[in-house]
Amino acid sequence: MKNLKAKLRRDGGFTLVEMLIVVAIIAILIAVSIPLVGSALDKAKQATDAANERAAKAEMTIVYLNNSAGMAVTGDVTYTKGKIYAYDAQSGKLVDSKPTVMYGQYIGHTGEFLSVTYDEAKHEVYMSWDSSLATTLTENGTDLCSKDLGTK
């Protein structure tokens, strides 16, 4: 027992094997955590885009109801039948033109924005992630944008 204590006091450091084992364990932990962090970031970006979609629907509905009831608030967009609007995520408002800042976060929407319209016949809000802004609908109201606006 005395020899062991004396030997431990003399050496006092870690061996090369012990250091390599510690480095290997840390490398394994990092390798396992990288995909978890990546998927968490991806889910956060999806949640951001989903929140923007809900906010765009709510804003389009509010603008339509306020304008149809003659209660347009100063600064809001005046609703025009058949027009496609863009949702500006920074201000939380609909705009008549393409927003200056694209805010699509998720991989499928990167560098895009939401274009939104209201179908008066069906009383439904239609939207699409878009990188260009279509300004009008077709005459019959069925082709609501150059991209799929099936999200309701």
Side-chain angles (χ1 to χ4, degrees), residues 11-130:
D11 293 342
F14 295 106
T15 65
L16 181 61
V17 173
E18 290 170 333
M19 289 300 289
L20 289 174
I21 290 172
V22 169
V23 169
I25 290 172
I26 291 172
I28 290 170
L29 292 174
I30 290 173
V32 168
S33 66
I34 287 175
L36 297 176
V37 171
S39 67
L41 287 174
D42 199 35
K43 287 180 183 178
K45 289 176 181 180
Q46 281 179 322
T48 300
D49 284 352
N52 283 331
E53 287 176 5
R54 286 190 300 275
K57 281 183 186 180
E59 182 65 20
M60 185 66 200
T61 303
I62 289 168
V63 167
Y64 172 74
L65 292 175
N66 281 345
N67 282 274
S68 65
M71 298 172 17
V73 180
T74 305
D76 278 353
V77 170
T78 301
Y79 174 75
T80 305
K81 183 177 181 179
K83 184 169 177 68
I84 295 178
Y85 299 94
Y87 178 72
D88 184 5
Q90 288 186 325
S91 67
K93 300 284 182 187
L94 294 177
V95 292
D96 287 333
S97 59
K98 187 175 178 177
T100 55
V101 178
M102 305 295 210
Y103 57 85
Q105 300 292 317
Y106 183 55
I107 292 169
H109 307 141
T110 302
E112 296 183 334
F113 60 90
L114 282 167
S115 54
V116 187
T117 192
Y118 189 85
D119 184 352
E120 291 183 11
K122 295 181 180 178
H123 301 291
E124 293 175 343
V125 174
Y126 290 89
M127 66 181 60
S128 168
W129 284 97
D130 204 345

Side-chain angles (χ1 to χ4, degrees), residues 83-85 113 115 130 132-137 144-147:
K83 184 169 177 68
I84 295 178
Y85 299 94
F113 60 90
S115 54
D130 204 345
S132 64
L133 184 63
T135 55
T136 58
L137 299 174
L144 297 171
C145 187
S146 59
K147 286 186 130 183

